[in-house]
Amino acid sequence: MEYVRLGRSGLNVSRLCLGTMNFGPETSEQDSHRIMDTAHDQGINFFDTANVYGRKTGEGVTEQIIGNWFASGDGRRERTVLATKVYGGMGGWPNQGKLSALHIRRACDESLKRLKTDYIDLYQMHHVDRETPWDEIWEAMEVLRQQGKIIYVGSSNFAGWHLAQAQEAANSRHFLGLVSEQSYYNLLNRWIELEVLPAARRYGIGVIPWSPLDGGLLSGAIRKQREGGGSRSSSERSAAGLEKHRTALEAYEKLCAELGHDPAEVGLAWLLAQDGVTAPIVGPRTGEQLDSGLRAAELTLDEAAMTALDELFPAPFPNGSKPAPEAYAW
């Protein structure tokens, strides 16, 4: 496993991040523990979760599963760069969601209890809060850091403008600010290349793509449909999403076959080759899906393959081949 620094920080993380959203709703606690053990065995040290994962409001089911795994000992916590998130509603009472200083403080303490640890390596804002001033948010994060409860701060689902706002506010307070941004990014959805990626590179913010295979559409959905196999792309993502991209996906799967690699591996390998990307999040429901992600980390696509993928799934730049933001800010 290769390791890289997270953004401009000195923190070293694996090139793959283990996503845990399926732990609980889709994957049993026993199987979740087995997947985390395998991830460590294969060198993955970067785990991502959130206080709202688990589909039971206020319970933090997924964090509890991870906490029980940490409690098993054997250096599991010490070998893990642990990332969780704050923002989502944890109840129906006022101040049980978003990014007020009160909720940030309470949510952090609750996550620590569920995770059975006394610190969080990367505390991420799950969404931008347009109603809470940045001075309040950063002061709350500063207090948590001074208390030793968190070490680094990250964001998720921010626009490029939000990254700039957040970082300039942190700079004015002489605070480190953001070291990472978790964004929706894959071959089918390249919109972050317009503003988010340029802003992240400018501020030294590492990008952690979520849904790197677009819910399974890039994992061989056409082939699975033809073979009659079940897949997330045919159920949860709905047939409409599959049909919308059918022509491109058929060509994509043909290209992957010519390359001799599984579509899921090619999609992840493409992301790993993008400038500014730190670690795509792989969210396996099974050990076999984790194995596929591990193979992708060892795959290097040549220039011809990268060009072919760009032709199938072009970047959303409005003026020819110029990179953003120069494509429109000429």
Side-chain angles (χ1 to χ4, degrees), residues 91 110 126 173 329:
E110 291 165 0
H126 210 155
R173 301 177 64 89

Side-chain angles (χ1 to χ4, degrees), residues 34-48:
R34 189 176 297 113
I35 288 171
M36 288 187 282
D37 281 334
T38 300
H40 265 190
D41 290 343
Q42 297 300 318
I44 297 177
N45 75 332
F46 194 16
F47 290 12
D48 175 74

Side-chain angles (χ1 to χ4, degrees), residues 9-64:
S9 77
L11 183 67
N12 288 308
V13 296
S14 49
R15 286 303 316 270
L16 291 179
C17 178
L18 181 69
T20 63
M21 190 169 66
N22 289 316
F23 293 179
E26 302 287 342
T27 307
S28 70
E29 180 160 348
Q30 183 179 13
D31 287 343
S32 299
H33 287 189
R34 189 176 297 113
I35 288 171
M36 288 187 282
D37 281 334
T38 300
H40 265 190
D41 290 343
Q42 297 300 318
I44 297 177
N45 75 332
F46 194 16
F47 290 12
D48 175 74
T49 190
N51 60 354
V52 294
Y53 289 173
R55 298 182 192 170
K56 293 183 179 180
T57 302
E59 294 188 23
V61 171
T62 303
E63 286 188 331
Q64 291 184 47

Side-chain angles (χ1 to χ4, degrees), residues 21-266:
M21 190 169 66
N22 289 316
F23 293 179
E26 302 287 342
T27 307
S28 70
E29 180 160 348
Q30 183 179 13
D31 287 343
S32 299
H33 287 189
R34 189 176 297 113
I35 288 171
M36 288 187 282
D37 281 334
T38 300
H40 265 190
D41 290 343
Q42 297 300 318
I44 297 177
N45 75 332
F46 194 16
F47 290 12
D48 175 74
T49 190
N51 60 354
V52 294
Y53 289 173
R55 298 182 192 170
K56 293 183 179 180
T57 302
E59 294 188 23
V61 171
T62 303
E63 286 188 331
Q64 291 184 47
I65 290 173
I66 297 170
N68 292 338
W69 183 72
F70 284 150
S72 300
D74 196 28
R76 286 177 171 85
R77 175 64 187 96
E78 292 75 16
R79 289 185 284 131
T80 303
V81 175
L82 173 64
T84 192
K85 306 183 194 74
V86 57
Y87 179 95
M90 297 300 286
W93 200 248
N95 303 309
Q96 287 189 298
K98 298 193 174 181
L99 299 176
S100 69
L102 178 60
H103 180 61
I104 288 174
R105 175 182 175 179
R106 286 177 175 171
C108 182
D109 286 343
E110 291 165 0
S111 285
L112 290 171
K113 290 177 184 177
R114 287 189 291 265
L115 290 162
K116 293 182 171 60
T117 185
D118 57 3
Y119 70 100
I120 295 163
D121 298 290
L122 178 63
Y123 202 39
Q124 302 163 112
M125 294 170 272
H126 210 155
H127 298 275
V128 66
D129 187 341
R130 296 174 176 85
E131 299 172 348
T132 304
W134 277 110
D135 279 345
E136 178 179 347
I137 294 170
W138 282 131
E139 183 179 48
M141 294 297 186
E142 289 167 12
V143 169
L144 291 179
R145 197 167 189 231
Q146 290 163 2
Q147 292 174 335
K149 295 178 180 179
I150 68 172
I151 301 177
Y152 299 97
V153 181
S155 60
S156 180
N157 303 305
F158 277 31
W161 167 239
H162 299 139
L163 295 180
Q165 274 188 314
Q167 202 54 39
E168 291 301 330
N171 290 344
S172 71
R173 301 177 64 89
H174 305 288
F175 189 61
L176 181 63
L178 300 173
V179 300
S180 65
E181 157 61 19
Q182 194 172 128
S183 284
Y184 181 32
Y185 187 28
N186 54 58
L187 276 165
L188 283 169
N189 290 275
R190 298 179 61 174
W191 293 104
I192 78 164
E193 293 177 19
L194 288 172
E195 293 276 2
V196 176
L197 269 180
R201 288 194 292 259
R202 165 62 179 81
Y203 285 106
I205 298 170
V207 173
I208 308 167
W210 63 266
S211 196
L213 301 176
D214 206 349
L217 289 177
L218 292 163
S219 65
I222 301 292
R223 182 196 67 212
K224 293 173 184 177
Q225 185 185 63
R226 184 172 59 248
E227 296 172 352
S231 69
R232 286 197 294 170
S233 56
S234 63
S235 55
E236 298 173 25
R237 299 287 299 187
S238 81
L242 192 61
E243 291 308 314
K244 177 181 179 181
H245 302 289
R246 176 171 289 275
T247 300
L249 289 172
E250 287 177 342
Y252 171 66
E253 292 184 20
K254 180 180 178 181
L255 172 63
C256 293
E258 293 170 354
L259 294 173
H261 296 288
D262 187 80
E265 297 167 22
V266 173

